[in-house]
Amino acid sequence: AQTHERQGGAGLLGGAMTDDARATLRRMAETDRDTQVRAAAIKSLGWNGDRTSLQFLLACRQASDDRYLNPMLDASIAQLKKKYPE
């Protein structure tokens, strides 16, 4: 599929709020070849992620040196930390 189709799919999955949708978003965020698709998946996880998503994003951020994705990771982590304070 084209980049814009996969980006749109990430947005739609973010609205699904199911375990399967979040698992797919985590996979997209980690493995999609296109940075824009990965960013869309990260953003969707920030809006509708669960505690597992938060742990995933924290691990991604710790391992990342991507100057494009890091601000999105930070924003999504901050959103989920509001939802799941420790």
Side-chain angles (χ1 to χ4, degrees), residues 50-79:
D50 55 8
R51 290 182 190 275
T52 301
S53 301
L54 175 57
Q55 294 306 314
F56 169 79
L57 293 173
L58 287 166
C60 288
R61 181 60 179 94
Q62 188 172 22
S64 176
D65 62 356
D66 188 310
R67 294 188 331 187
Y68 177 74
L69 290 178
N70 284 350
M72 290 175 202
L73 284 163
D74 292 339
S76 291
I77 289 166
Q79 283 179 297

Side-chain angles (χ1 to χ4, degrees), residues 25-61:
L25 287 167
R26 288 191 299 270
R27 182 181 47 75
M28 290 173 78
E30 192 168 33
T31 64
D32 197 277
R33 69 183 178 273
D34 191 289
T35 303
Q36 292 176 333
V37 174
R38 292 172 58 210
I42 289 166
K43 186 182 261 186
S44 289
L45 285 170
W47 285 109
N48 291 316
D50 55 8
R51 290 182 190 275
T52 301
S53 301
L54 175 57
Q55 294 306 314
F56 169 79
L57 293 173
L58 287 166
C60 288
R61 181 60 179 94

Side-chain angles (χ1 to χ4, degrees), residues 1 4 14 16-17 19-20 24-25 39 41 47 52 55-56 59 75 77-78 83-84:
H4 67 279
M17 296 178 59
D19 290 340
D20 287 341
T24 299
L25 287 167
W47 285 109
T52 301
Q55 294 306 314
F56 169 79
I77 289 166
K83 191 174 176 181
Y84 300 107

